[in-house]
Amino acid sequence: MGDTTTDLPIRAKSEPVKFGHALRDSQFLFDPSYRNLNHGSFGTFPLHIRNLMRHYQDQAEAKPDPFIRYTYPQLLDESRAAIAKLLNVPTETCVFVPNATMGVNTVLRNIVWNPDGKDEILYFETIYSGCARTVDYVVEYNRGLVQSRCVPISYPCADADIVENFEKAVEEVEKEGKRVRLALFDVVSSNPGIRFPFEAVTAACKKHGILSLVDGAQGVGMVKLHHLGEVDPDFFVSNCHKWLHVPRGCAVFYVPVRNQGLIRSTVPTSHGFEAAVELTGGKKRVNPLPPNGKGYFVAGFEFVGTVDDAPYMCVKEAIKWREEVLGGEERIMEELIKMAREGGKLVAEALGTEVLDNEAGTMSASAMTNVALPLPAEEIKASGEGPAVRAYILETLMEEYQTFVAVFVFQGQWWARLSAQVYLELEDFKWAGGVLKEICERVVRGEYKKSS
């Protein structure tokens, strides 16, 4: 594969690489003036993986047909095997889609709802907006066949409270003479960035005969998922480009064999789709791609259309890079969770506020931390200037401080969500606390009104 596979810096087993700015400057592609405190939104990848991706892109341009038709499927299978091993599930259950939202769409658009109109989709209050809108679309498109229902969450709370609220919602649906057909929930929610007890909710779904759709947009590479096969959700999708150091966009889509028959089509429909013969007038559709002998599910997702799937081919090497350079998944996750917790405390101290967590500390068991902002939430809400305040904070962070922090309102409080990552240090969080303090003081003085 040329020079691009020889530039992988192999660490000495006795000397694990030190996380922080030296790693950032030597391995990543950031502008020296920029502090990336928002890894959770778009992720990033190291120089070695960038070179590998470009190598695959160059191969595709050198010989398009041989590469796309024959080489690419082989490389794709290697990446599928690597991610399946990481999740401890069979390779035949894993394919790739561009992002978690695509995986959620694929499931919701394939489910055949019962004709009696009693089906419901349950989701939690912290659902990602894109997924919530997908649920809305499915309800609208299948008007009269399926409804949706939101399960409330009052943070901070114990994991058991979330499961209890889920059970109560299921009971309410059944009392109304309806059924919960599918439940959609996170591994780590987006805003706030909270570790969700997806294992326990999946178990509750099994108990009630409900299909579980786990949105792990924030998941693989950030929290331990080697037990996915034991948890055994009905559907699971997780972005590799967020926390696994894979280029955008790439997400693993896991469907156990028992449910692969439910996924009739990719989104959009690929050459692998086979309609019932009676619906095609007896015509047999021609697949222009080489026969591969793979099952219907895997074959369908192998080639959905002509797009740049180079990120998919980088998954195997990204996992290897994390093992050989960063010291492996366990070390990465432990260090990031520790950094997020300690960093969150530093930001909260600077702001004179608090970190969002529960007594057991399970809410903060991820690489993101949520810190309350010292802003007069009720006054801002009453004035109707919330959108202007948020826009001012984000634009000021980017233009004046060369950084970005997710800022949002949740349950009547303004919050900032910061991400830990191997290229950061606690000093970055201390700095961020000072920056956020200055900006909040400027908001209170009304400077956002002058900028609008």
Side-chain angles (χ1 to χ4, degrees), residues 36 83 95 163 165 169 179 213 248 283 288 290 297 309 312 314 402 417:
N36 193 40
I83 195 70
V95 293
V163 179
N165 286 356
R179 72 177 73 86
L213 170 52
R248 307 173 203 97
K283 295 180 180 179
F297 175 71
D309 286 333
Y312 297 179
C314 294
Q402 292 298 296
R417 188 199 75 191

Side-chain angles (χ1 to χ4, degrees), residues 156-159 194-195 337 341 356-366:
C157 67
D159 291 348
I194 296 296
R195 173 66 159 88
I337 292 173
R341 284 172 166 165
L356 182 58
D357 204 356
N358 55 20
E359 292 183 4
T362 56
M363 290 172 59
S364 64
S366 79

